[in-house]
Amino acid sequence: MSAAVPLIRPISDLRTDLNDVCAQAQESRQPIFMTKNGKASLVVIDCAAYEEQRQHERYVHKLREAEIEEKYRKETLSQASLDEAMERIFEVWGI
């Protein structure tokens, strides 16, 4: 599988062709790199695509945390022992 070719547009398109930039962002669901004087200046991305990327990053982060915890924390608790521990905590708190 090859990497996708990045979408690159001049920053002036934000002024002269904003509707097309928006449509391209929504259709491609990929970041559009906006250049100024030939250098990357801004990145434009559709809001829904951005939220999906953020959610994906959160999932990956949580999975990585779980992997690390599993690797370094081998002991587990049964539901019964967890319930007992919680009851003791609630008794201390007077709940």
Side-chain angles (χ1 to χ4, degrees):
M1 182 169 118
S2 63
V5 177
L7 302 173
I8 302 171
R9 295 182 71 147
I11 202 165
S12 60
D13 282 359
L14 293 176
R15 181 177 11 89
T16 61
D17 209 0
L18 181 59
N19 288 338
D20 188 53
V21 172
C22 291
Q24 186 179 26
Q26 290 173 337
E27 290 169 14
S28 71
R29 304 190 59 79
Q30 296 296 316
I32 301 172
F33 295 87
M34 309 302 292
T35 61
K36 184 175 183 178
N37 298 325
K39 296 182 180 180
S41 179
L42 296 172
V43 176
V44 176
I45 188 168
D46 176 65
C47 283
Y50 175 77
E51 286 301 322
E52 287 174 10
Q53 285 184 355
R54 296 287 297 145
Q55 186 64 38
H56 176 75
E57 290 169 4
R58 286 189 287 268
Y59 289 148
V60 169
H61 183 74
K62 290 291 185 187
L63 284 172
R64 184 66 185 132
E65 284 179 346
E67 289 172 348
I68 291 169
E69 186 171 338
E70 191 277 331
K71 182 176 180 178
Y72 293 104
R73 186 176 178 176
K74 297 292 185 185
E75 73 275 359
T76 60
L77 297 174
S78 68
Q79 185 65 48
S81 63
L82 180 60
D83 290 343
E84 289 173 19
M86 293 305 295
E87 284 180 25
R88 287 192 304 271
I89 290 170
F90 292 150
E91 286 175 12
V92 170
W93 289 348
I95 299 175

